[in-house]
Amino acid sequence: MNSDENLLISLGWNVLGSLASGTVFLFLPYLVFYGMIEEKLIINLDQQGDPYLIALAFNLLCIGLLIYIPDRYGVLKQMEQSEQLVKHEQQFQTLFHHNPDAVFSVDPNGKFISVNFIASEYTGYSISDLKRMTFEDVVAPENANLAKGMFKRSLQGEVHQFEVLIKTKIGDYKELYISTVPIMISGRIVGVYGIAKDVTENNRAEKMIHYLAYHDELTGMANRRYFNEELERLLMHENQVSFAIMLLDFDRFKRINDLFGHEFGDRVIQAIGKRLSEVLDDRFVVARLGGDEFTIIVTGNLGERGVSLLAQHVLESFQYPLLIDHQECLLTASIGISLYPQHGKDAAELIKYADMAMYDVKDKSTNNYAFYKEEMSNQTLHKIVLENDLRRAIDEDELILHYQPKINTRSNSVIGFEALVRWQHPSIGLISPDEFISAAEETGLIIPIEKWVMSQACQQLKKWQCYFGENLTMAVNLSQRHFYQEDIVCTISSILQNVGLAPSSLELEITESMAMFNEKETIEKLNRLRELGLEISMDDFGTGYSSLSYMNKLPINRLKIDRLFIRDITSNSGDLAIVTTIISMAHHLGLEIIAEGVETEAQLRILHELDCYEVQGYFYSKPLSVEGVEEYMHSYMK
């Protein structure tokens, strides 16, 4: 054999040996070499002409191709998979380190294996520090058992989400929402992966939202929603538990609010809440329903006597003034009480009846309490009927005017009248303003009522001036709501023009509390009314809080002394001193003075001695109808 034949035979045996031993990869270099020389071998063998060697060479060529081609494909596939693994590893590392949440892994003992930058930021520890620590080292002690239990369950193959409190390196606390999943390799759990989101601010915001939903923003006390839900919870109690509802409303608070402004009023409300919290312990739910209205749920089976004692205790606590901005503020309360189950079986009934009892206290007195009684429902129903009927009273011409003469006692002459509205109800009869004016103010009907009063009074005065003299004047009352919510200057100017009445014939009576509210706007509007030529009188003077400095600024013509001081002027030295002071002050300020409620000659004599000569009251005449005034004037002028 020549050298080529020996090489071929040797190559063939190597191929066969490789196939037999399964070491195909070891033979790949031979196949490559064989592919390079195959053409030469076949040509040489063909030239030798030995059929055996030719067949052997051809078979070896086929075997080599069958082995080389699939194995070459496998190598390429392995290279592609390696590239994918590298790519996935890079993606994982990017996701791990640049995740907006903390990502970490721990071994079965809880020791950190890997952590990202956010985990370091959350805890305040460096990455290298964390890798020497366990998860338990950063968990707040009170949450250690929770965290340990959750990781233990994840090591058993479960997936979990939970919130946990961690303590940072500087001692702060953060709330984390953590998701944990087991790390499984070759069917065996070797640790736990965790993703943690900082929910501290979210939780704080949610807690604040929840707090504000159930607490009054001004006082920090429970609010109406909390009160309603607590009341419903008591009503749904399996064992029927008796309890009481106390509804508190503070007397004269609206006047304080009007006089000193809402900012001062808010501080008064805060002081009220603080006082209530001081005198009532945690057994009671104390809530602010709104404005100056508070409520108390009284539990503990105190019985009617115990509830009475508690109500009295609350009232007594407000005998001591509230200190607001170094200023003492004395308030009294009216308390209405309903009992469960005696007075009602549901929340709406209990609140309604406590409200009725509270208004019953206000109607009869102040600084007192009352339990609901059935007859109060009839009184409330009467009030509701009046409010509803009042809406049609103007359109149905049910309102009428009575007029009380004003007398100059020095000249013994009628100088004018005060227009006083009455309601001629079709079924109830004549209703005094004390019964419906407050309802008119609450509903806003006071504005159209006062417009009607002013128009009718001006028309009537115009007629009387023709009959009895042009010097007669007409006084009409003006409510605070009308004064501030309407362009009152245009309204009055229009009425005077339509009637053809001189502005100096009309006198507007405003209250002292109204004059003290919103000083700048009040003075501006009063000046505009004075420029029209109207007279301005301050009604009920002495019952409010006006100061001398403020009185000097007000563009008014006359002070009207309240009947409260005139009534006992002959027997009460205090009332006499007040009246004396008011008259003296008016004279010094260049103001005219008139006293209302004069009923006796003794009262009149004292007023003369004090140089007060304008009066009105039953001593001269009660309020009269149009016909009554005309008869009075004819007899008086004889």
Side-chain angles (χ1 to χ4, degrees):
M1 291 184 177
N2 58 30
S3 61
D4 288 336
E5 293 172 351
N6 290 332
L7 175 63
L8 182 60
I9 292 170
S10 174
L11 187 61
W13 284 113
N14 284 331
V15 170
L16 291 175
S18 297
L19 288 172
S21 64
T23 58
V24 176
F25 288 105
L26 296 176
F27 190 66
L28 285 178
Y30 294 102
L31 293 177
V32 175
F33 174 73
Y34 178 76
M36 295 170 59
I37 64 171
E38 59 176 318
E39 183 179 358
K40 180 180 178 181
L41 289 174
I42 292 173
I43 292 172
N44 289 338
L45 290 172
D46 185 52
Q47 289 175 353
Q48 296 292 327
D50 190 332
Y52 173 75
L53 291 176
I54 292 172
L56 178 61
F58 182 77
N59 287 334
L60 289 174
L61 176 62
C62 291
I63 290 170
L65 291 173
L66 287 173
I67 293 171
Y68 174 75
I69 292 172
D71 214 51
R72 177 66 175 171
Y73 176 77
V75 170
L76 293 174
K77 192 68 176 176
Q78 278 191 328
M79 291 174 64
E80 183 181 343
Q81 288 174 348
S82 296
E83 290 175 0
Q84 287 293 326
L85 285 173
V86 171
K87 184 179 179 181
H88 290 163
E89 174 67 16
Q90 290 174 344
Q91 289 175 343
F92 174 78
Q93 290 295 329
T94 300
L95 181 62
F96 183 85
H97 288 294
H98 298 285
N99 196 299
D101 299 323
V103 183
F104 61 91
S105 62
V106 297
D107 66 16
N109 295 318
K111 188 175 183 300
F112 286 109
I113 301 171
S114 60
V115 292
N116 69 352
F117 300 112
I118 301 299
S120 173
E121 183 181 308
Y122 282 179
T123 61
Y125 293 100
S126 66
I127 292 177
S128 58
D129 286 341
L130 286 172
K131 287 184 177 181
R132 292 191 293 269
M133 301 167 67
T134 66
F135 189 79
E136 196 173 336
D137 292 333
V138 296
V139 174
E142 55 267 35
N143 281 180
N145 290 334
L146 168 67
K148 192 182 297 183
M150 289 299 179
F151 276 101
K152 184 177 180 181
R153 292 169 70 174
S154 289
L155 285 170
Q156 294 171 352
E158 298 179 12
V159 175
H160 283 289
Q161 291 85 34
F162 59 97
E163 281 193 20
V164 68
L165 195 67
I166 67 165
K167 187 174 182 180
T168 68
K169 185 176 182 178
I170 62 174
D172 291 339
Y173 288 89
K174 288 185 179 180
E175 295 173 78
L176 302 183
Y177 181 78
I178 298 180
S179 299
T180 58
V181 295
I183 302 173
M184 190 170 293
I185 297 178
S186 301
R188 188 169 65 89
I189 296 174
V190 297
V192 174
Y193 270 124
I195 298 178
K197 178 183 287 293
D198 186 353
V199 293
T200 308
E201 291 303 320
N202 286 346
N203 286 354
R204 186 177 292 126
E206 287 179 7
K207 288 174 183 176
M208 179 58 69
I209 291 170
H210 183 273
Y211 179 84
L212 292 176
Y214 288 96
H215 290 80
D216 175 55
E217 186 176 359
L218 185 61
T219 63
M221 305 175 74
N223 62 6
R224 184 182 292 272
R225 175 182 288 181
Y226 187 97
F227 165 77
N228 287 336
E229 291 190 10
E230 185 65 17
L231 186 53
E232 290 293 345
R233 186 188 67 78
L234 284 172
L235 292 169
M236 294 173 64
H237 202 280
E238 293 181 2
N239 301 319
Q240 193 177 63
V241 179
S242 63
F243 60 89
I245 299 295
M246 283 188 183
L247 198 61
L248 289 77
D249 188 88
F250 286 84
D251 310 315
R252 296 166 58 262
F253 173 77
K254 185 178 183 300
R255 175 170 288 188
I256 290 174
N257 217 23
D258 291 344
L259 288 176
F260 301 106
H262 291 285
E263 185 177 341
F264 185 86
D266 285 347
R267 289 199 286 276
V268 172
I269 291 295
Q270 289 172 336
I272 290 172
K274 184 179 179 182
R275 180 70 58 86
L276 287 173
S277 299
E278 289 171 351
V279 299
L280 296 169
D281 58 37
D282 294 338
R283 291 177 298 164
F284 311 111
V285 174
V286 186
R288 180 189 177 217
L289 300 186
D292 63 324
E293 197 171 58
F294 293 77
T295 189
I296 305 168
I297 300 179
V298 184
T299 55
N301 279 324
L302 297 184
E304 189 167 330
R305 175 171 171 73
V307 174
S308 296
L309 291 173
L310 182 64
Q312 190 61 43
H313 179 55
V314 171
L315 292 174
E316 289 173 356
S317 71
F318 285 93
Q319 290 180 357
Y320 306 98
L322 303 171
L323 190 63
I324 314 294
D325 295 340
H326 307 292
Q327 182 174 339
E328 289 187 346
C329 181
L330 185 61
L331 285 175
T332 58
S334 297
I335 303 178
I337 306 169
S338 63
L339 302 174
Y340 175 83
Q342 296 95 310
H343 296 150
K345 297 296 178 67
D346 61 51
E349 276 188 327
L350 291 168
I351 295 170
K352 179 178 71 175
Y353 293 149
D355 195 48
M356 287 181 183
M358 184 265 291
Y359 276 104
D360 186 72
V361 173
K362 280 187 172 295
D363 289 341
K364 295 177 179 177
S365 62
T366 57
N367 193 34
N368 207 346
Y369 68 91
F371 288 88
Y372 167 75
K373 295 178 182 177
E374 193 171 345
E375 55 264 29
M376 293 177 183
S377 295
N378 297 329
Q379 296 169 3
T380 302
L381 182 62
H382 174 73
K383 183 179 178 182
I384 293 171
V385 169
L386 287 184
E387 287 182 3
N388 291 334
D389 290 351
L390 187 58
R391 297 180 183 278
R392 60 171 174 75
I394 302 173
D395 297 334
E396 299 294 330
D397 293 326
E398 294 175 6
L399 296 180
I400 60 175
L401 286 180
H402 282 186
Y403 303 89
Q404 187 171 37
K406 298 194 294 183
I407 311 297
N408 184 312
T409 59
R410 178 179 282 176
S411 62
N412 198 30
S413 61
V414 177
I415 57 175
F417 308 91
E418 180 181 1
L420 300 167
V421 67
R422 302 288 187 268
W423 181 8
Q424 188 66 51
H425 194 279
S427 58
I428 298 175
L430 194 65
I431 303 174
S432 72
D434 292 340
E435 290 190 61
F436 68 86
I437 287 298
S438 60
E441 289 177 340
E442 290 173 8
T443 57
L445 292 172
I446 192 66
I447 294 176
I449 288 175
E450 287 186 346
K451 284 182 178 180
W452 178 87
V453 168
M454 196 172 298
S455 178
Q456 293 296 311
C458 288
Q459 291 178 46
Q460 188 60 58
L461 179 64
K462 184 68 176 177
K463 294 178 183 177
W464 285 340
Q465 284 181 339
C466 294
Y467 299 151
F468 307 117
E470 293 184 355
N471 292 330
L472 292 174
T473 62
M474 181 68 70
V476 294
N477 292 284
L478 192 62
S479 68
Q480 179 171 314
R481 188 163 189 171
H482 194 183
F483 184 81
Y484 288 107
Q485 291 191 3
E486 280 280 312
D487 188 351
I488 194 67
V489 180
C490 292
T491 299
I492 294 175
S493 178
S494 177
I495 290 173
L496 292 172
Q497 287 179 8
N498 291 337
V499 173
L501 187 69
S504 59
S505 299
L506 182 62
E507 180 180 346
L508 298 180
E509 291 192 0
I510 63 173
T511 63
E512 186 176 358
S513 59
M514 186 178 101
M516 292 292 291
F517 178 73
N518 198 342
E519 177 181 336
K520 184 178 179 181
E521 184 179 352
T522 299
I523 293 174
E524 180 185 344
K525 279 196 173 184
L526 290 178
N527 275 323
R528 290 173 62 195
L529 290 169
R530 286 290 303 274
E531 288 169 3
L532 281 179
L534 275 70
E535 297 276 309
I536 307 295
S537 173
M538 182 177 287
D539 195 9
D540 301 332
F541 187 75
T543 61
Y545 302 89
S546 56
S547 64
L548 288 176
S549 61
Y550 185 62
M551 287 297 304
N552 197 35
K553 298 177 185 177
L554 285 175
I556 61 176
N557 304 89
R558 182 178 285 102
L559 293 182
K560 194 171 189 179
I561 305 173
D562 188 77
R563 67 182 71 244
L564 178 68
F565 303 115
I566 301 299
R567 184 182 58 200
D568 298 323
I569 193 174
T570 58
S571 58
N572 189 310
S573 59
D575 286 345
L576 177 59
I578 291 173
V579 172
T580 302
T581 302
I582 292 173
I583 293 173
S584 177
M585 181 190 73
H587 289 159
H588 281 88
L589 292 175
L591 301 175
E592 297 177 20
I593 191 83
I594 185 170
E596 66 174 354
V598 177
E599 299 181 357
T600 68
E601 188 172 352
Q603 293 170 343
L604 187 63
R605 187 169 55 251
I606 291 175
L607 290 171
H608 279 176
E609 293 172 357
L610 296 173
D611 293 332
C612 176
Y613 299 103
E614 290 186 10
V615 300
Q616 69 182 89
Y618 277 36
F619 181 75
Y620 285 97
S621 174
K622 65 179 182 179
L624 302 168
S625 64
V626 172
E627 296 77 11
V629 168
E630 292 174 356
E631 290 179 10
Y632 180 83
M633 291 295 291
H634 284 302
S635 63
Y636 200 85
M637 294 176 69
K638 286 181 181 179

